[in-house]
Amino acid sequence: MLFLRALFPFAFAILLSQWPETDATKQIEALSRIYKEKLHTNSIDRRHFNASHQSHVVRILSQKGMRENDRIAKLPGQPPVRFKQYGGYVTVNQTAGRAFYYYFAEAQRAHHKSLPLLLWLNGGPGCSSLAYGAMQELGPFRVHSDGKTLYKNPFSWNHAANLLFLESPAGVGFSYSNTTADFRSGGDAKTAADNYAFLVNWLERFPEYKGRDFYISGESYAGHYVPQLAHTILYHNKKAGKTIINLKGIIIGNAVINDETDTIGMYEYFGSHALVSDEITKQIMRYCDFSANATTQPHQCNQAAEQVDKNINVIDIYNIYAPLCWNPNLTLTPKKASVSHMDPCSDYYVYAYLNRPQVQKALHANVTNMSYDWEPCSDVIKKWTDSAATVLPLLQEIMANGLRVWIFSGDTDGRVPVTSTKNSINILKLPIETAWHPWFLDREVGGYTQVYKGNLTFATVRGAGHQVPSFQPARALSLIMHFLDGTQLPNSSRF
Ligand SMILES: *[C@@H]1O[C@H](CO)[C@@H](O)[C@H](O)[C@H]1NC(C)=O
Ligand SMILES: *[C@@H]1O[C@H](CO)[C@@H](O)[C@H](O)[C@H]1NC(C)=O
Ligand SMILES: *[C@@H]1O[C@H](CO)[C@@H](O)[C@H](O)[C@H]1NC(C)=O
Ligand SMILES: *[C@@H]1O[C@H](CO)[C@@H](O)[C@H](O)[C@H]1NC(C)=O
Ligand SMILES: *[C@@H]1O[C@H](CO)[C@@H](O)[C@H](O)[C@H]1NC(C)=O
Ligand SMILES: *[C@@H]1O[C@H](CO)[C@@H](O)[C@H](O)[C@H]1NC(C)=O
Ligand SMILES: *[C@@H]1O[C@H](CO)[C@@H](O)[C@H](O)[C@H]1NC(C)=O
Ligand SMILES: *[C@@H]1O[C@H](CO)[C@@H](O)[C@H](O)[C@H]1NC(C)=O
């Protein structure tokens, strides 16, 4: 998910009168805050990200014995499974005392030796890959409404890959820093550098994955993290003159890619999905300046944006047709759970589960007894100092290096909707290799896809909100399997 929770306290107050007081409410504020922040001030560095501006020193620390200590025998309330799990800390910066928490679910059964390694990142900035990716989207388990027990996700992506979830940057979830100044000086560049330091050290701890085909995936604001980390990997591979990390491709969903087109596409989506009147949409398009350099907006723009907020703040903008969470209370016995019907209150179940001391112990998390709770989106990160206006040049670089790039889009998300993503891809002006067509799963249309010449595939996922694997788990698994296999999505239900 996106949504900075507390990052921009001075940004817009959003009208929330009819909303239940939930975490989801806070999440609604998050990404719109960073967009609005970027539209109204120039306190965020929006320049193009480049790894050569970063510290070149990547410390590889001894990881001896750590892997065995990270082995998770069994999580509290967990059904039996046939794969190995690990969780623990990797120090990314010794001087500052920064350590990142990871959770690793090896691929199911005997295939883990041949299947690739897949990293998943959530966005925010400030949201946790454990909260969303692992426990509500593509991980092997979901949390029951009792906040204590787990059930299996039959569509877990560890049927297709060895799955690595990372809480990043410091201040997110269990990942921490002993230097609190880090929480006010973070941004895209430091996140990429720390993510890279995490990876090389993690591979030292799990050396059998060193040469393995490696892919990076993520959603939302991870539309920044994923290509920025890929760029950093390419940079270090080139500098070293050898393959340090065997990166093969990236895949991003409902991703923040290019601020100007992302924002225009968002308002287009609101208008075309009957959430906002045509008059207000026209006023937005006429008076707002979404270009990268704009820092002030005329009052006609602000006035229209207020009207938009009134209309959208009463629904879940991350999945416009979804029900809201009206009762976040845990239940004594688990409610009947279904992976195919996402419970809108699951954030609360995950919050309860991951804050249980015995769960943290089993996960090898919170070993320093932090003074604050585990949160799905960070309350401790206070400032975001750099956020590139666009990652399109990075996507071009990754494609030019012959890596596979897939961009997917759940078509009921209103925050980084399909219109935004199409607008952003269109800027690249790539020739089409396979024309737009429906793709199929179990005889139903899973979504639509278009393949571009130059190593880029675009695919929608029908009926999915912002967190695609939460809302369409089977379609999401099919998508990731085709991505990892390097095969096109099926153009007929016969394949
Ligand atoms: C470690 O983090 C500090 C800031 O907290 C930074 O000044 C320093 O350059 C970092 N060290 C490395 C090797 O990245
Ligand atoms: C952070 O500080 C705690 C308490 O002093 C210490 O145990 C821990 O190792 C430190 N973390 C890092 C990454 O250095
Ligand atoms: C933004 O500013 C840069 C230089 O500061 C300039 O090159 C660019 O054309 C400007 N973009 C727009 C859309 O005005
Ligand atoms: C949730 O629990 C609280 C405290 O026990 C109670 O006051 C509240 O009515 C419950 N909410 C619902 C919707 O049942
Ligand atoms: C953290 O708390 C637990 C239980 O309260 C205790 O056993 C442990 O020693 C503490 N660890 C640190 C590093 O303070
Ligand atoms: C860490 O553990 C302490 C108790 O030792 C608890 O109060 C705190 O909420 C936990 N924090 C996180 C981030 O898990
Ligand atoms: C796509 O990858 C190939 C290598 O597999 C490379 O030669 C080509 O330039 C890439 N295309 C683009 C548009 O970057
Ligand atoms: C559909 O996909 C199959 C298998 O990839 C391919 O052989 C066939 O030509 C495609 N058909 C059309 C109409 O594009």
Side-chain angles (χ1 to χ4, degrees):
M1 278 203 185
L2 311 157
F3 348 97
L4 317 150
R5 289 216 312 186
L7 301 205
F8 301 105
F10 42 89
F12 276 40
I14 295 184
L15 302 162
L16 297 165
S17 52
Q18 304 200 23
W19 264 82
E21 274 298 314
T22 67
D23 261 23
T25 313
K26 294 178 191 160
Q27 288 160 17
I28 294 302
E29 298 171 44
L31 185 71
S32 50
R33 282 200 197 146
I34 200 166
Y35 277 140
K36 284 174 180 169
E37 176 73 2
K38 286 166 95 175
L39 278 174
H40 289 267
T41 76
N42 45 22
S43 67
I44 295 179
D45 185 347
R46 287 170 280 192
R47 281 170 304 177
H48 174 42
F49 171 84
N50 191 329
S52 65
H53 301 148
Q54 284 295 298
S55 161
H56 297 178
V57 197
V58 181
R59 281 270 171 77
I60 302 180
L61 305 169
S62 166
Q63 306 290 323
K64 236 177 143 200
M66 292 182 159
R67 179 200 168 120
E68 293 68 38
N69 292 338
D70 286 356
R71 180 78 201 277
I72 298 169
K74 192 170 184 282
L75 292 169
Q78 178 211 296
V81 293
R82 292 170 69 186
F83 59 87
K84 287 186 182 157
Q85 315 173 64
Y86 299 84
Y89 284 98
V90 171
T91 298
V92 297
N93 182 314
Q94 232 177 352
T95 11
R98 281 204 298 282
F100 279 11
Y101 183 79
Y102 79 89
Y103 167 68
F104 181 49
E106 272 190 349
Q108 305 264 350
R109 299 204 180 82
H111 303 305
H112 68 92
K113 292 209 166 92
S114 56
L115 289 174
L117 176 64
L118 177 67
L119 173 69
W120 172 268
L121 297 170
N122 278 92
C127 297
S128 154
S129 304
L130 213 50
Y132 299 103
M135 292 298 189
Q136 298 187 61
E137 299 189 72
L138 52 129
F141 307 114
R142 302 265 173 101
V143 183
H144 270 130
S145 61
D146 61 359
K148 282 186 193 158
T149 54
L150 303 176
Y151 58 103
K152 281 191 207 176
N153 169 15
F155 305 104
S156 172
W157 289 11
N158 79 334
H159 286 283
N162 297 284
L163 260 185
L164 181 56
F165 297 93
L166 174 63
E167 292 193 308
S168 160
V172 175
F174 295 123
S175 294
Y176 68 87
S177 175
N178 286 337
T179 306
T180 48
D182 284 343
F183 302 140
R184 291 185 299 273
S185 62
D188 285 11
K190 285 191 174 161
T191 303
D194 280 358
N195 286 348
Y196 184 74
F198 164 83
L199 267 184
V200 291
N201 279 286
W202 187 89
L203 287 168
E204 203 62 28
R205 194 175 299 186
F206 290 81
E208 75 269 34
Y209 288 99
K210 264 186 185 172
R212 196 71 61 94
D213 284 0
F214 178 59
Y215 297 89
I216 317 174
S217 56
E219 90 196 0
S220 192
Y221 197 77
H224 279 209
Y225 299 156
V226 172
Q228 288 166 348
L229 177 57
H231 163 87
T232 307
I233 291 170
L234 291 173
Y235 171 81
H236 284 282
N237 282 352
K238 251 167 229 169
K239 204 159 144 273
K242 62 173 186 191
T243 303
I244 301 170
I245 295 176
N246 190 18
L247 180 65
K248 294 290 185 188
I250 66 166
I251 178 165
I252 50 178
N254 296 80
V256 177
I257 292 175
N258 185 69
D259 288 348
E260 182 170 7
T261 43
D262 285 349
T263 312
I264 293 171
M266 182 180 78
Y267 287 110
E268 286 171 356
Y269 190 89
F270 295 162
S272 60
H273 286 71
L275 308 181
V276 162
S277 74
D278 292 347
E279 290 71 28
I280 290 296
T281 305
K282 271 187 205 137
Q283 194 174 330
I284 291 270
M285 296 304 168
R286 174 153 178 215
Y287 292 106
C288 299
D289 177 4
F290 298 119
S291 64
N293 298 350
T295 53
T296 58
Q297 300 294 335
H299 79 96
Q300 292 97 327
C301 166
N302 293 331
Q303 198 183 40
E306 260 174 53
Q307 290 307 310
V308 171
D309 284 349
K310 279 187 191 162
N311 286 301
I312 64 166
N313 284 337
V314 286
I315 61 168
D316 179 357
I317 204 61
Y318 294 92
N319 188 4
I320 62 168
Y321 305 119
L324 303 180
C325 171
W326 292 100
N327 184 358
N329 288 352
L330 300 180
T331 58
L332 275 174
T333 50
K335 276 193 260 178
K336 193 174 177 296
S338 158
V339 168
S340 320
H341 295 98
M342 184 65 184
D343 184 328
C345 299
S346 29
D347 247 23
Y348 294 92
Y349 316 153
V350 173
Y351 174 85
Y353 187 77
L354 290 178
N355 275 299
R356 289 167 66 82
Q358 55 283 45
V359 171
Q360 298 191 350
K361 194 158 177 270
L363 284 168
H364 314 120
N366 193 12
V367 291
T368 56
N369 291 343
M370 288 180 262
S371 59
Y372 49 86
D373 281 4
W374 177 93
E375 293 281 350
C377 292
S378 177
D379 279 340
V380 294
I381 297 174
K382 298 296 182 200
K383 218 168 158 356
W384 201 257
T385 58
D386 67 305
S387 173
T390 181
V391 296
L392 287 172
L394 298 183
L395 295 179
Q396 283 170 318
E397 177 202 356
I398 295 161
M399 292 184 265
N401 276 273
L403 303 186
R404 192 176 302 151
V405 176
W406 281 36
I407 299 178
F408 65 97
S409 178
D411 65 7
T412 61
D413 175 25
R415 177 53 73 219
V416 191
V418 66
T419 37
S420 300
T421 302
K422 286 196 297 169
N423 288 346
S424 300
I425 291 174
N426 286 340
I427 297 176
L428 296 173
K429 294 197 165 58
L430 292 171
I432 292 164
E433 184 171 300
T434 307
W436 183 274
H437 67 80
W439 66 268
F440 291 84
L441 178 66
D442 298 334
R443 298 197 287 167
E444 292 278 359
V445 172
Y448 294 82
T449 184
Q450 177 150 287
V451 181
Y452 295 89
K453 284 203 176 77
N455 316 319
L456 177 69
T457 293
F458 170 68
T460 72
V461 180
R462 194 160 69 106
H466 193 71
Q467 302 89 321
V468 168
S470 297
F471 300 108
Q472 290 293 344
R475 288 173 188 169
L477 178 60
S478 178
L479 177 85
I480 199 68
M481 283 176 157
H482 283 90
F483 166 73
L484 294 169
D485 286 350
T487 50
Q488 293 199 4
L489 289 161
N491 57 17
S492 122
S493 50
R494 287 181 293 111
F495 296 105

